[in-house]
Amino acid sequence: MPYDDLRSFLDTLDKHGQLLRITEQVLPEPDLAAAANAAGRIGEGAPALYFDNVKGFTDARIAMNVHGSWRNHALALGLPPETSVREQVEEFARRWDAFPVAPERREDAPWRENTQQGADIDLFEVLPLFRLNDGDGGFYLDKAAVVSRDPRDPDHFGKQNVGTYRIEVIGRDRLAFQPVPMHDVAQHLHAAEELGEDLPIAITLGNDPVITIVAGMPMGYDQSEYEMAGALRGAPAPIATAPLTGFDVPWGSEVVIEGVVESRKRQIEGPFGEFTGHYSGGRRMPTIRIDRVSYRTDPVFESLYLGMPWTEVDYLVGPNTCVPLLKQLRAEFPEVQAVNAMYTHGLAVIVSTKKRYGGFAKAVGMRAMTTPHGLGYVTQVIVVDEDVDPFDLPQVMWAMSAKVNPQDDVIIVPNLSVMALAPAANTPGITSKMIIDATTPVAPDNRGHFDTPVRDLPETPEWTDRLRALLAAR
Amino acid sequence: MICPRCAHDTVDTVTTSPVPGVWDVLQCVRCLYMWRTTEPDRRTRREAYPVEFRMTQADIDAAPEVPVVPPLRVG
Ligand SMILES: [Zn+2]
């Protein structure tokens, strides 16, 4: 059942009617990005898009919007396509408990079929690169799983990181990339640059759908993404040894790019339309020299459109942001029921919890801000009661409208950390954060008039079934 | 040919279309802006390039380092 590569997942999407092949000739720009942008605007159940007739190319295969609907996300996890969002998050959380599942090393990686090295390296020969948004400074690799190791502890499997970062192609064999300080690769680069050493790196493109999900997932520094992929797949993740760096990379990748982040060097990068729905750019960022490219015959280039939400990236990093926060909160506060952190990678989150005693919900809100992911995100936490579903936004709005006394229930903490791309921060990287306590106060916090709530009638569940049956029988 | 973004007059050809003569990918040697010649005017022509995305040498010089290069650790 689990997919070992992108191609087998595309086949499954196809069988479920969730892969749309665009056979008419399209322009690389603006058509590819505009079509993927449009996939996020046509409502529920949008398909992945596959292009192989792109003007000027003889040999282009491009997949976009692969994770770009709840149906596709469910299929990526091997669930029925109609599985609800909340059920997908709950299943994700259940599988998390199997972590760690050791990966399985295989020798016959299909990307060994073709190699470019040294002076022969030309990324444009391997990939049909194209621009996404008008203001982007160039062509980007925005859905790669990037592998790096801690130079102080290179043999530690867990500290080997697999993450997704924005990567700009700035030459046939050169890239610029953005290591956000809160992310693991930034720690690796910091350590290498302190020593004046280049940081070896492997950039893998076109991966099985679960590798892409774990690469975008906020995990602990010494937790292995491959061991998490195994837990989510329900089977060991297949990995192989990259030929130049010796790093562990996905067995099924379409393309494996190896090289080094050049020590202590920065070059102008961007702008790039980001997941915040805003461009960021005009900064000098680290550069990568490519030393070797390995790729499957007839590689498929997977890319992702991002811009004003919702786009594919919001589906991709929705559940995988909810679950770590849920687990980290529950570790100390088992009262926490559910976490919806699907808005801008968790810049705003909604937590439902039982209350241990008065003031408890506010403590849960503060803890959400101080989780590892919260340090860079979680600028707004809405805390709701245990009987409010945080994925049901009308219910959340009811809780806010009926339970919140702003004087007592809205708390603003100034000058906290946030990732530098957060557009509302005055000084990039520093922001105020807010807790909205939309729970019912409990003793000794005796505020408001909440002692006579109207609850669903005891007979209502029975009537729900009856109405459904009557409607179905019409 | 000048760079649509910074108006610099040195532009490299990075690659050409596999089907001969359809498009080229060009790059400004100063601001590294990269574009395909078949893109819309708003991305390829200086006069149509949006003001909010234009860049000057001063912008490049003033661009902050992200992340900041740490001090070398000696010994
Ligand atoms: Zn320029």
Side-chain angles (χ1 to χ4, degrees):
Chain A
M1 187 191 67
Y3 307 103
D4 287 351
D5 60 7
L6 175 65
R7 296 177 189 200
S8 56
F9 183 52
L10 293 178
D11 288 343
T12 294
L13 290 174
D14 209 1
K15 282 188 199 109
H16 284 84
Q18 288 297 115
L19 180 75
L20 185 62
R21 295 176 188 277
I22 315 278
T23 52
E24 263 177 71
Q25 189 174 73
V26 300
L27 280 167
E29 296 88 7
D31 285 337
L32 294 167
N37 188 177
R41 302 290 180 256
I42 58 173
E44 293 292 301
L49 304 177
Y50 189 85
F51 300 88
D52 57 6
N53 186 2
V54 185
K55 193 166 182 181
F57 290 101
T58 50
D59 202 25
R61 285 157 300 272
I62 298 161
M64 299 191 80
N65 209 50
V66 169
H67 292 77
S69 63
W70 291 123
R71 296 178 75 84
N72 287 15
H73 189 274
L75 289 167
L77 294 176
L79 296 169
E82 60 278 6
T83 310
S84 74
V85 184
R86 184 171 184 161
E87 285 169 337
Q88 291 190 42
V89 172
E90 283 173 0
E91 177 62 18
F92 199 124
R94 260 194 300 278
R95 293 186 192 177
W96 169 296
D97 294 333
F99 173 86
V101 173
E104 172 195 326
R105 192 172 300 278
R106 297 185 193 167
E107 291 306 324
D108 55 345
W111 42 257
R112 287 178 182 273
E113 288 164 357
N114 307 279
T115 302
Q116 288 183 341
Q117 286 183 88
D120 293 333
I121 292 174
D122 183 354
L123 218 46
F124 289 85
E125 274 182 19
V126 180
L127 299 169
L129 300 162
F130 59 94
R131 188 191 319 277
L132 293 170
N133 281 303
D134 283 349
D136 289 357
F139 308 160
Y140 275 79
L141 311 176
D142 67 349
K143 210 181 178 186
V146 178
V147 184
S148 60
R149 287 187 179 177
D150 188 335
R152 297 156 302 194
D153 197 2
D155 298 326
H156 190 295
F157 187 75
K159 289 184 187 172
Q160 173 175 266
N161 183 62
V162 184
T164 300
Y165 310 98
R166 86 187 210 193
I167 301 170
E168 183 179 13
V169 177
I170 57 170
R172 283 181 289 267
D173 62 351
R174 294 186 64 74
L175 308 167
F177 95 124
Q178 169 180 269
V180 175
M182 284 82 180
H183 291 166
D184 295 350
V185 74
Q187 298 189 41
H188 297 171
L189 180 62
H190 187 91
E193 289 193 320
E194 276 185 337
L195 300 168
E197 294 172 0
D198 291 342
L199 180 74
I201 200 154
I203 297 161
T204 70
L205 288 158
N207 288 305
D208 81 66
V210 170
I211 286 292
T212 308
I213 288 172
V214 296
M217 185 163 165
M219 293 177 54
Y221 183 68
D222 56 0
Q223 291 182 323
S224 163
E225 286 81 4
Y226 294 124
E227 292 172 350
M228 182 58 74
L232 294 179
R233 286 158 51 91
I239 60 172
T241 305
L244 182 66
T245 54
F247 290 176
D248 303 305
V249 296
W251 170 86
S253 302
E254 294 288 322
V255 178
V256 177
I257 298 167
E258 294 176 275
V260 294
V261 184
E262 296 168 309
S263 188
R264 313 183 66 78
K265 185 170 174 176
R266 301 289 184 268
Q267 203 152 17
I268 192 77
E269 190 270 356
F272 182 61
E274 273 284 357
F275 70 97
T276 60
H278 296 79
Y279 288 93
S280 78
R283 298 168 304 168
R284 290 154 42 79
M285 304 247 252
T287 56
I288 292 169
R289 183 191 72 228
I290 302 173
D291 294 321
R292 185 174 179 130
V293 182
S294 310
Y295 58 101
R296 290 181 75 156
T297 302
D298 299 336
V300 178
F301 178 38
E302 189 190 17
S303 179
L304 165 153
Y305 177 81
L306 71 177
M308 183 178 170
W310 271 48
T311 66
E312 181 180 357
V313 73
D314 299 293
Y315 294 99
L316 179 60
V317 302
N320 76 1
T321 310
C322 297
V323 175
L325 273 173
L326 173 69
K327 295 290 181 183
Q328 288 156 12
L329 284 173
R330 261 193 202 153
E332 284 145 289
F333 302 134
E335 290 88 348
V336 170
Q337 302 297 297
V339 175
N340 177 354
M342 300 203 300
Y343 308 100
T344 321
H345 203 7
L347 274 179
V349 309
I350 306 161
V351 181
S352 79
T353 184
K354 296 179 182 170
K355 287 82 58 185
R356 207 177 288 179
Y357 32 64
F360 185 72
K362 293 181 174 73
V364 170
M366 285 188 271
R367 182 68 188 105
M369 292 173 176
T370 58
T371 56
H373 188 66
L375 297 179
Y377 294 82
V378 193
T379 64
Q380 298 152 59
V381 193
I382 302 168
V383 190
V384 295
D385 287 329
E386 65 271 28
D387 59 354
V388 172
D389 177 358
F391 293 92
D392 184 339
L393 295 187
Q395 276 190 13
V396 173
M397 292 310 293
W398 166 71
M400 282 198 21
S401 56
K403 308 275 187 185
V404 171
N405 180 341
Q407 178 75 38
D408 300 322
D409 289 322
V410 178
I411 293 138
I412 296 177
V413 187
N415 298 321
L416 296 182
S417 61
V418 71
M419 50 103 206
L421 296 180
N426 286 329
T427 302
I430 291 290
T431 187
S432 62
K433 297 195 178 186
M434 173 174 68
I435 299 166
I436 300 176
D437 180 357
T439 63
T440 311
V442 297
D445 184 11
N446 298 311
R447 295 178 292 118
H449 302 277
F450 299 109
D451 50 349
T452 51
V454 185
R455 302 196 188 283
D456 282 1
L457 298 171
E459 296 80 8
T460 297
E462 191 190 323
W463 264 99
T464 309
D465 294 342
R466 219 166 137 182
L467 291 182
R468 285 207 177 108
L470 285 167
L471 285 167
R474 276 194 307 179
Chain B
M1 176 62 71
I2 60 167
C3 170
R5 181 160 84 168
C6 78
H8 193 61
D9 58 8
T10 310
V11 164
D12 277 350
T13 299
V14 180
T15 195
T16 57
S17 53
V19 178
V22 179
W23 44 253
D24 297 324
V25 173
L26 308 178
Q27 185 179 34
C28 170
V29 301
R30 177 166 75 176
C31 78
L32 304 185
Y33 181 67
M34 195 182 279
W35 70 100
R36 195 183 325 268
T37 50
T38 48
E39 290 195 69
D41 287 356
R42 62 184 191 265
R43 302 178 185 179
T44 53
R45 300 183 65 89
R46 174 65 178 172
E47 64 276 14
Y49 197 80
V51 172
E52 64 267 34
F53 297 126
R54 291 187 182 188
M55 205 178 264
T56 63
Q57 182 66 53
D59 293 334
I60 297 168
D61 295 342
E65 274 179 9
V66 178
V68 172
V69 177
L72 263 181
R73 187 175 282 189
V74 220

